């Protein structure tokens, strides 16, 4: 009997693309259904691009971009966005850094002015640098050092799997590296990576294309033209033998383990890669998924389990090398070896026996729902399209992702499961050191 295929709804968001003379790529996706806009600027620099001896620098620089410019004083960005009824933020990823706003549509020009202003040059002073180093150090204390399972597994698993500095180093940064950063290094980082030719601007929502285009040319057209730097090849060989490490977390009350396997290149081998995205959901998404049903509900050897692509959890905004990650928390006294053996058994069973009737269609429908929900809001749409343009030159792929997920076959999922062998696995175990 042929496996039932999921009927996946499609989106038809319009896409307008153009490039300014200074190299800035622009993506517009109009939607006049509500008077709100999302604006996103994505720079092609992330954690992997940090120079050696300056761990955490990409994230530190994200903070510096909010500290004023040659034209605007410190905190002016906050005041202008919030004064218009909007919200804003930024985030640092492995392969890019983004800055974004959601605003009423009548504040479009305000958002464009603010982003163009700091693209020309943030206010890089000794005072701002020292202040933001302290802010980032406090963020590390809160999110990593003084939190149970802090940094697990995105900071702790990558150095087990990878050998090279770009892929294995601590993206939050060491205190020594952060404290040693200089203004000259910040200026050089800006000149190298925060160039028009290294950026994408995306605007989504209630915009008139002709008017938005004119405003973008007015505010960004005279930003200095600087080319994108040559992006290094961050590739490294796959594992040929299992790697496993452990550490004691003084605050963790229960054991945990995370494992990862390398997957195909998300950009150059996207069709094969998609099968691993679906496989992660088959294994862990929902109470009926394979590993949740067996490990959490039936055998109760773990209290939770999650699976995803990419160490930061978004399968469609990462470049090679990347991995499928399984993350589990165990009850007190839990047996990590037994959990890993059970995962191997379920992967073998899936590769050999295939999926049950309706299992793939159910998973694909859930995935499509998540994809559609994530880009229903104008900001989610702008961010996704900006990254797709930057990494693939295909912002319209956003419309196709639900359909492409629905086209993954059982044979592709089985083939993907068959590659997740113990000898290709890297694992990090958390030994609890917290209060009993």
């Amino acid at each position: 009997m042929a496996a039932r295929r999921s009927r996946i709804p499609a989106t038809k968001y319009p896409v307008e693309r153009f490039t300014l003379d200074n190299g800035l790529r622009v993506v517009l996706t109009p939607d006049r259904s509500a008077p709100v806009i999302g604006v996103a600027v994505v720079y092609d620099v992330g954690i992997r691009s940090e120079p050696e001896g300056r761990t955490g620098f990409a994230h530190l620089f994200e903070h510096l971009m909010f500290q004023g410019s040659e034209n605007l004083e410190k905190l002016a960005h906050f005041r202008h966005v919030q004064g218009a009824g909007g919200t804003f933020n930024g985030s640092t990823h492995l392969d890019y850094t983004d800055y974004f706003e959601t605003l009423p549509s009548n504040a479009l020009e305000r958002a464009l002015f603010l982003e163009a202003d700091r693209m020309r040059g943030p206010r890089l002073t000794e005072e701002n640098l020292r202040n933001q180093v302290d802010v980032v150090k406090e963020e590390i204390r809160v999110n990593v050092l003084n939190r149970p399972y802090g940094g697990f597994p995105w900071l702790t698993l990558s150095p087990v799997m990878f050998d090279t500095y770009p892929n294995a180093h601590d993206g939050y940064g060491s205190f020594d590296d952060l404290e040693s950063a200089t203004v000259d290094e910040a200026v050089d980082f800006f000149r190298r990576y925060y160039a028009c030719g290294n950026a994408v601007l995306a605007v989504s929502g209630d915009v008139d294309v002709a008017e938005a285009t004119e405003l973008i040319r007015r505010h960004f057209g005279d930003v200095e033209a600087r080319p994108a730097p040559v992006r290094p090849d961050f590739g490294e060989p796959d594992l040929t033998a299992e790697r496993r490490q452990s550490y004691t977390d003084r605050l963790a009350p229960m054991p945990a383990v995370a494992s990862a396997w390398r997957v195909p290149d998300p950009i150059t081998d996207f069709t094969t890669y998609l099968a691993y995205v679906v496989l992660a959901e088959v294994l862990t998404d929902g109470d009926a998924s394979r590993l949740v049903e067996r490990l959490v509900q039936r055998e109760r050897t773990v209290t939770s389990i999650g699976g995803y692509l990419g160490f930061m959890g978004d399968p469609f905004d990462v470049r090679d090398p990347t991995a499928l990650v399984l993350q589990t928390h165990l009850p007190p006294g839990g047996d990590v070896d037994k959990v890993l053996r059970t995962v191997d058994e379920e992967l073998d069973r899936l590769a050999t026996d295939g999926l049950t009737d309706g299992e793939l269609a159910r998973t694909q429908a859930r995935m499509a729902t998540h994809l559609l929900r994530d880009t229903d809001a104008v900001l989610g749409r702008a961010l996704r399209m900006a990254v797709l343009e930057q990494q693939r030159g295909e912002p319209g792929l956003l419309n196709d992702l639900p359909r492409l997920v629905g086209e993954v076959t059982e044979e592709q999922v089985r083939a993907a499961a068959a590659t997740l062998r113990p000898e290709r696995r890297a694992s990090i175990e958390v030994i609890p050191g917290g209060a009993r």
Side-chain angles (χ1 to χ4, degrees):
M1 179 188 300
R4 285 187 296 175
R5 300 297 295 274
S6 181
R7 293 177 60 87
I8 303 296
T11 56
K12 297 180 180 179
Y13 297 121
V15 180
E16 300 283 344
R17 303 167 65 212
F18 59 93
T19 302
L20 299 184
D21 292 341
N22 56 17
L24 177 67
R25 286 177 283 169
V26 180
V27 179
L28 303 178
T29 173
D31 176 1
R32 312 306 294 269
S33 60
V36 63
I37 55 168
V39 177
V41 178
V42 175
Y43 294 90
D44 199 349
V45 57
I47 291 168
R48 285 200 248 234
S49 297
E50 292 171 343
E52 292 195 48
R54 286 297 175 263
T55 57
F57 205 89
H59 177 233
L60 172 62
F61 199 87
E62 175 214 319
H63 280 245
L64 290 172
M65 286 286 281
F66 289 97
Q67 302 307 302
S69 67
E70 294 180 4
N71 298 314
L72 294 174
E73 73 278 11
K74 191 171 184 175
L75 303 181
H77 192 106
F78 299 59
R79 187 177 71 255
H80 285 299
V81 174
Q82 292 174 335
T87 60
F88 65 92
N89 212 331
S91 58
T92 307
H93 302 253
L94 291 177
D95 295 306
Y96 67 93
T97 306
D98 56 23
Y99 304 86
F100 47 88
E101 296 87 16
T102 302
L103 287 154
S105 55
N106 61 4
L108 171 62
E109 185 166 15
R110 180 178 301 208
L112 296 176
F113 164 76
L114 290 170
E115 290 298 350
D117 183 65
R118 62 179 166 187
M119 186 179 285
R120 288 186 179 88
R123 188 173 294 193
L124 301 176
T125 66
E126 185 68 24
E127 177 187 2
N128 283 343
L129 178 61
R130 299 276 71 87
N131 173 269
Q132 291 309 302
V133 165
D134 289 342
V135 170
V136 171
K137 287 168 60 179
E138 184 60 21
E139 188 176 327
I140 294 170
R141 292 187 187 98
V142 171
N143 292 336
V144 180
L145 301 179
N146 294 314
R147 173 178 292 187
Y149 312 103
F152 171 79
W154 78 278
L155 291 178
T156 56
L157 181 54
S158 54
V160 181
M161 166 157 276
F162 295 117
D163 295 319
T164 63
Y165 169 83
N167 298 317
H169 77 273
D170 180 350
Y172 245 143
S174 73
F175 282 11
D176 285 345
D177 284 356
L178 291 168
E179 290 166 353
S180 301
T182 69
V183 172
D184 286 344
E185 289 170 333
V187 171
D188 180 69
F189 194 84
F190 173 78
R191 296 287 302 174
R192 179 184 299 271
Y193 294 111
Y194 279 71
C196 291
N198 210 37
V200 174
L201 165 68
V203 181
S204 175
D206 184 22
V207 295
D208 176 83
V209 171
E211 179 185 357
T213 299
E214 193 279 326
L215 289 173
I216 289 167
R217 294 188 186 281
R218 179 190 305 170
H219 289 285
F220 288 89
D222 64 349
V223 177
E224 179 188 4
R226 301 196 310 278
V230 176
R231 187 177 184 276
D233 179 5
F234 295 128
E236 57 180 277
D238 195 1
L239 301 186
T240 57
E242 183 177 11
R243 295 182 180 182
R244 186 167 165 183
Q245 295 182 17
S246 64
Y247 68 98
T248 298
D249 184 332
R250 63 184 178 85
L251 299 176
M254 298 183 293
V257 64
S259 299
W261 298 259
R262 288 279 297 276
V263 296
D265 189 317
I267 309 298
T268 63
D269 195 7
F270 188 53
T271 299
T272 308
Y273 173 80
L274 271 180
Y276 290 83
V277 180
V278 175
L279 172 61
E281 303 300 311
V282 167
L283 293 173
T284 65
D285 185 38
D287 291 344
S289 61
R290 296 204 166 211
L291 294 180
V292 172
E293 189 279 328
R294 180 171 176 183
L295 290 170
V296 178
Q297 296 181 339
R298 180 156 35 108
E299 298 181 358
R300 299 187 178 182
T301 50
V302 306
T303 58
S304 66
I305 183 166
Y308 46 90
L309 272 290
F311 287 91
M312 301 184 80
D314 190 331
F316 303 118
D317 71 355
V318 67
R319 292 183 172 116
D320 192 63
T322 188
L324 185 152
V325 179
L326 293 178
Q327 173 182 340
T328 63
H329 290 79
L330 287 70
D335 187 339
V336 168
D337 290 328
K338 181 178 181 180
V339 169
L340 295 179
R341 286 196 303 270
T342 304
V343 169
D344 291 337
E345 290 172 9
E346 286 300 314
L347 288 169
D348 287 341
R349 187 165 71 90
L350 196 160
T352 303
D353 300 337
L355 289 88
T356 60
D357 184 43
E359 184 178 10
L360 180 58
R362 180 183 68 241
T363 301
Q364 290 168 321
R366 288 171 66 98
M367 294 178 68
T369 299
H370 295 321
L371 287 168
L372 294 168
R373 182 188 61 201
D374 290 346
T375 55
D376 183 56
V378 291
L379 180 59
R381 216 174 303 156
L383 286 167
R384 176 63 55 81
M385 284 196 175
V387 176
L388 290 174
E389 168 64 36
Q390 184 175 84
Q391 297 184 351
R392 304 168 182 272
E394 294 184 78
L397 184 62
L398 177 143
N399 288 318
D400 297 326
L401 284 175
R403 174 183 59 80
L404 293 172
V405 163
E407 291 177 353
V408 173
T409 66
E410 177 180 347
E411 290 72 23
Q412 289 174 303
V413 175
R414 292 175 64 177
T419 69
L420 305 190
R421 307 298 306 162
E423 62 269 18
R424 297 184 60 243
R425 179 174 62 206
S427 298
I428 186 71
E429 178 183 352
V430 178
I431 299 171
R436 298 291 188 266

